[in-house]
Amino acid sequence: FPVPFFLDILTNLQVGPLHKATIEKHGKDWTKPGNIVGNGAYVMTEWTPNSKVVLTKSPNYWDADNVKIEKVTYTAVEGQDAELKMWESGEIDATHELPAGQYKRLAQQYPKETLLADNLGIRYYSLNNKDPLFKDVRMRKALNMVIDRDVMAEKVTADDQKPIYSIVTRGVSGADTAQPDWVQWPMEKRVEEAKKLMAEAGVKPGTKMKFAYNTSEYHKKMAIFAQSEWKTKLGLETEMEAMEFKVLIKKREDMDYQIARNGWLADYNDASTFLTLLECNSAQNYHGYCNKEAQKLIDEGNQSTDPARRKELLSQANKLMMEDYPVIPLLQYTRTRMVKSWVQGFSSDNVMDRYRTKDLSLAAH
């Protein structure tokens, strides 16, 4: 079918060219310094696992004259708190992400070095739609309704993320986001309706649920907030299960969970990168969910060569799927990071949050 976002796909690192002869010669060691052959602006000269990767400017790069930074070190850091301390002590020039709740303080303390950019990404919770507790759409809707995303954004993560109620984010090409009517209701009315839906689904207060999330203070704070919302508003008991990220991924893939922390950053700027998370036969749909009517709209949209018609159909599909509440959308990603004043080239308009060191430069300092 037509792929109007094909050029965006080519910007993904997964379609970068690899040097076949090097891989055949060195096998699994082809990525080590001295072995690896690439076509980028830098050459890897040092790699210390779990510590750092050092790159130096390649004299063979086609645009070497415009590469301003001679050497870059990528440092492996365990957690955002440690990363922030390294930045404040001057060990690193830029962070990847800030700890939850720190953005406002840092923006006041370092107004010229705090970067905030909207991202095409979503924080959400996966629901196992085949689990007996979540087979009924009314129960899934109830869980969605009582989480106050405004409080989560303002008080819990506190990094200027925006509440979202759709798997498709705002600002992405190819489809509109969706928002249910109850978003405008007072929370009291939302809770009253959620209790009614839960009762109709045959779920009683005191019912226990299991919530799996990967070990991180950021995700823990969000999970504890959701746990509290479900407890205080619906009387549900949530057992928290913290685990390594790779263990969480396996649980999701095996559908060995009830509720699981999840998130998705766009691989390319098109709504299909989000819709695939819920499509019927998608390898990335770990929710046991399928809406055949929505899938038909997606398939029809992807066959269309008319961008306006395609967007209309994919938007309809997104709305239909969100009315099934197969997941719990929470917040649209922002990227908050600290960048030293002498590092130039970062932007608040980079919605894909992709930066190449060759496009950065260092001012005198």
Side-chain angles (χ1 to χ4, degrees):
F1 58 83
V3 185
F5 49 91
F6 180 70
L7 292 180
D8 280 297
I9 290 178
L10 295 183
T11 67
N12 194 292
L13 295 178
Q14 292 176 332
V15 296
L18 299 178
H19 193 243
K20 183 179 179 182
T22 297
I23 298 172
E24 291 174 343
K25 180 179 178 180
H26 297 288
K28 65 180 181 180
D29 291 330
W30 75 272
T31 58
K32 291 184 177 180
N35 295 343
I36 189 169
V37 173
N39 68 341
Y42 292 87
V43 176
M44 182 168 64
T45 51
E46 184 181 346
W47 174 20
T48 306
N50 301 315
S51 177
K52 63 182 179 180
V53 173
V54 180
L55 307 180
T56 55
K57 179 178 173 179
S58 172
N60 300 317
Y61 184 58
W62 69 272
D63 197 27
D65 289 345
N66 292 314
V67 178
K68 305 302 182 185
I69 296 177
E70 295 287 334
K71 179 181 178 181
V72 57
T73 300
Y74 293 99
T75 305
V77 185
E78 188 68 34
Q80 294 102 334
D81 289 308
E83 186 182 29
L84 178 58
K85 288 177 181 177
M86 292 177 70
W87 183 86
E88 289 186 299
S89 68
E91 294 178 68
I92 57 177
D93 290 328
T95 69
H96 177 64
E97 191 172 30
L98 296 183
Q102 294 290 323
Y103 170 72
K104 290 183 179 178
R105 174 187 73 82
L106 292 164
Q108 290 179 344
Q109 189 173 352
Y110 307 101
K112 294 182 179 180
E113 298 180 295
T114 309
L115 180 72
L116 172 70
D118 289 327
N119 270 191
L120 298 183
I122 177 176
R123 298 187 188 277
Y124 69 102
Y125 292 154
S126 288
L127 296 175
N128 185 341
N129 287 225
K130 291 188 175 180
D131 188 280
L133 185 59
F134 301 131
K135 277 187 174 180
D136 195 311
V137 64
R138 291 171 294 190
M139 181 59 185
R140 301 195 301 268
K141 183 176 180 179
L143 293 180
N144 264 275
M145 292 183 77
V146 299
I147 294 181
D148 193 325
R149 292 156 177 82
D150 292 303
V151 172
M152 178 179 276
E154 292 168 14
K155 304 295 185 183
V156 181
T157 63
D159 48 10
D160 213 37
Q161 295 182 96
K162 300 297 188 292
I164 196 164
Y165 303 85
S166 158
I167 200 71
V168 172
T169 65
R170 291 175 291 270
V172 73
S173 297
D176 293 324
T177 191
Q179 184 165 290
D181 294 339
W182 52 258
V183 172
Q184 307 301 327
W185 297 359
M187 183 53 73
E188 288 183 6
K189 182 179 178 181
R190 283 163 59 171
V191 172
E192 182 183 350
E193 178 66 15
K195 285 181 176 178
K196 181 181 172 183
L197 290 169
M198 196 173 86
E200 290 174 355
V203 180
K204 298 178 179 180
T207 296
K208 294 182 177 179
M209 310 183 296
K210 288 187 176 182
F211 186 113
Y213 68 97
N214 55 297
T215 307
S216 156
E217 279 302 309
Y218 194 102
H219 301 316
K220 183 180 180 180
K221 286 180 179 179
M222 290 182 66
I224 288 173
F225 177 75
Q227 177 191 41
S228 174
E229 294 284 80
W230 293 326
K231 170 69 174 176
T232 59
K233 295 174 179 176
L234 298 178
L236 297 166
E237 302 289 340
T238 308
E239 179 184 339
M240 312 294 280
E241 300 177 316
M243 60 197 68
E244 291 183 23
F245 188 44
K246 62 182 180 181
V247 177
L248 177 64
I249 291 174
K250 184 71 163 56
K251 269 187 170 290
R252 290 195 309 231
E253 290 176 349
D254 294 343
M255 291 191 64
D256 179 26
Y257 73 93
Q258 285 189 301
I259 307 173
R261 178 259 153 186
N262 217 327
W264 190 257
L265 285 164
D267 291 318
Y268 47 88
N269 190 355
D270 186 79
S272 59
T273 188
F274 294 105
L275 293 172
T276 190
L277 301 172
L278 295 174
E279 288 192 62
C280 291
N281 297 314
S282 170
Q284 291 168 316
N285 181 346
Y286 306 133
H287 308 96
Y289 168 76
C290 173
N291 183 316
K292 292 183 179 179
E293 185 178 351
Q295 187 63 56
K296 185 178 178 181
L297 289 169
I298 292 171
D299 292 341
E300 185 180 345
N302 285 334
Q303 293 289 340
S304 176
T305 56
D306 179 352
R309 177 60 176 161
R310 178 177 183 268
K311 182 175 182 178
E312 179 186 356
L313 292 168
L314 296 192
S315 298
Q316 289 177 22
N318 178 47
K319 186 173 185 296
L320 271 182
M321 293 193 293
M322 291 305 97
E323 289 171 353
D324 288 337
Y325 300 94
V327 295
I328 304 177
L330 296 166
L331 302 172
Q332 181 162 344
Y333 272 97
T334 55
R335 177 66 70 203
T336 54
R337 55 163 53 93
M338 305 306 297
V339 181
K340 293 296 185 183
S341 58
W342 51 80
V343 180
Q344 300 176 343
F346 282 92
S347 167
S348 59
D349 299 323
N350 190 334
V351 294
M352 293 297 292
D353 193 45
R354 288 184 183 156
Y355 295 95
R356 299 180 300 176
T357 304
K358 70 155 287 189
D359 297 323
L360 304 178
S361 61
L362 299 176
H365 62 282

